[in-house]
Amino acid sequence: MLEICQVTKYFQHQVLAPVDLQVEQGEFIAFLGPSGCGKSTLLNIIAGLEQPTSGEVRLDGQVLTAPGPERGMVFQEPGLFPWLNVLENVAFPLRRQGLTEAVARERALELLKLVHLSRYAHSWPHELSGGMKQRVAIARALALNPRILLMDEPFAALDEQTRMAMHVELQDIWQQTGKTIIFVTHNIREAVRLADRILVFATRPGRIKAEFKVQAPHPRLEGDGLLLQLENQILRELREEMEKVLKEELGDDYHLKKSGFPWHPDRDLGSYI
Ligand SMILES: Nc1ncnc2c1ncn2[C@@H]1O[C@H](COP(=O)(O)OP(=O)(O)O)[C@@H](O)[C@H]1O
Ligand SMILES: [Mg+2]
């Protein structure tokens, strides 16, 4: 359905080496890699917010060059309009498309039900917790019934408990709607919990280094043995990339080999990349 063909991007430096990727309808894909490896850049190119330097992105064979209603986007910051209540925030894209207020409200209410926020339809954004705001942002991104949901570290700013609750919620939304989801994260555990296919990025320049399939059925439970095994496998793949990033950030003071691998089994693996 979605094809990324030989996409590169240069800013001052080459940020993306040629990237090729094919995404099937209904897939849940994660882009995983250390910060600065070009995950957001690639997602923004798919969204039509950035143009590739070369190569192209096609949806059903049509080249994409601008944002469109078939792609919904959720960012790390919920970005709700503070002067609109929850229902009006979700209805906003529908109203802008020219739907009548009654139709827009009805559709917005359906979406609020999907994200379990019906009771908060008339609340204001500042009255909601971080997780609730992000659920409103997801409902708003789904308003125009996009085929693809693009999510850029949407839960990175949430506390651990809320993030785990959002993982349950998002799996549920994905199963109910059958949307294609591309989810950017630097957290291995999150990628393994959610995605069916994980693309591990290498850095400088950003490119896809490895692909992992996660066969476990949804909904997946936190701490599942099979998932933990996969986390470790992916961590080994990322070790080299992490070393590169840490060396650059910490300079010559940093000797990963001497200090050993900076990983403890009780800690969240994701927080190291
Ligand atoms: N608009 C921009 N102008 C210049 N450099 C950019 C811009 N956007 C991203 N970059 C650079 O591209 C690289 C990849 O960034 P990004 O895609 O945000 O990485 P990630 O999302 O994996 O952390 C970084 O080095 C970043 O500084
Ligand atoms: Mg990013």
Side-chain angles (χ1 to χ4, degrees):
M1 171 184 72
L2 183 74
E3 294 167 288
I4 292 147
C5 312
Q6 292 284 301
V7 162
T8 70
K9 182 72 181 178
Y10 287 77
F11 290 111
Q12 287 89 341
H13 304 285
Q14 185 173 26
V15 171
L16 288 176
V19 173
D20 278 297
L21 174 66
Q22 305 215 336
V23 179
E24 301 300 327
Q25 176 100 40
E27 267 196 293
F28 197 140
I29 286 189
F31 291 171
L32 174 68
S35 95
C37 70
K39 306 180 296 294
S40 294
T41 301
L42 183 59
L43 198 74
N44 289 338
I45 289 171
I46 296 169
L49 298 170
E50 294 270 13
Q51 295 304 314
T53 303
S54 64
E56 56 192 28
V57 178
R58 292 195 287 257
L59 183 64
D60 291 336
Q62 301 271 50
V63 177
L64 297 175
T65 53
E70 73 292 333
R71 282 154 293 154
M73 188 108 182
V74 181
F75 300 93
Q76 183 171 328
E77 294 301 322
L80 305 180
F81 304 120
W83 61 88
L84 297 179
N85 71 22
V86 166
L87 184 72
E88 291 160 348
N89 262 282
V90 178
F92 182 82
L94 298 161
R95 295 286 289 142
R96 211 175 44 173
Q97 284 243 317
L99 293 183
T100 64
E101 191 172 337
V103 174
R105 275 176 65 95
E106 195 180 326
R107 169 92 181 121
L109 276 171
E110 267 171 42
L111 288 160
L112 286 177
K113 207 188 251 177
L114 178 72
V115 298
H116 303 117
L117 282 176
S118 304
R119 281 170 48 212
Y120 296 88
H122 300 288
S123 299
W124 296 96
H126 75 265
E127 296 172 319
L128 306 182
S129 69
M132 289 158 86
K133 281 184 200 161
Q134 217 40 316
R135 274 143 64 196
V136 178
I138 293 171
R140 187 178 59 183
L142 291 172
L144 297 181
N145 200 18
R147 294 174 61 191
I148 307 174
L149 193 55
L150 303 171
M151 308 182 86
D152 194 352
E153 310 227 22
F155 309 144
L158 303 176
D159 63 78
E160 186 63 16
Q161 276 68 35
T162 307
R163 191 177 333 138
M164 288 195 293
M166 291 301 292
H167 291 165
V168 175
E169 193 93 348
L170 185 60
Q171 290 181 78
D172 186 43
I173 290 168
W174 178 62
Q175 288 192 306
Q176 283 196 50
T177 62
K179 297 288 176 205
T180 305
I181 298 183
I182 303 181
F183 187 102
V184 168
T185 180
H186 64 266
N187 185 306
I188 301 178
R189 183 159 295 170
E190 179 165 77
V192 166
R193 179 100 190 260
L194 294 173
D196 282 347
R197 186 146 70 102
I198 299 172
L199 300 163
V200 175
F201 279 61
T203 187
R204 293 177 181 81
R207 61 204 181 277
I208 295 171
K209 184 184 184 188
E211 176 175 320
F212 290 87
K213 290 227 158 73
V214 191
Q215 310 280 7
H218 292 267
R220 297 186 187 143
L221 300 176
E222 188 74 24
D224 178 292
L226 193 86
L227 299 185
L228 285 175
Q229 228 177 325
L230 191 59
E231 275 181 40
N232 279 300
Q233 218 179 322
I234 296 174
L235 188 67
R236 280 196 290 277
E237 194 66 50
L238 275 169
R239 177 184 166 134
E240 205 183 306
E241 298 308 314
M242 291 157 61
E243 275 186 348
K244 248 198 274 180
V245 173
L246 287 172
K247 264 190 196 134
E248 244 163 69
E249 282 179 7
L250 303 174
D252 292 336
D253 295 344
Y254 187 76
H255 297 288
L256 189 63
K257 299 251 160 52
K258 232 184 252 171
S259 59
F261 196 50
W263 171 64
H264 189 276
D266 294 341
R267 301 224 195 110
D268 179 6
L269 300 177
S271 62
Y272 286 105
I273 61 165

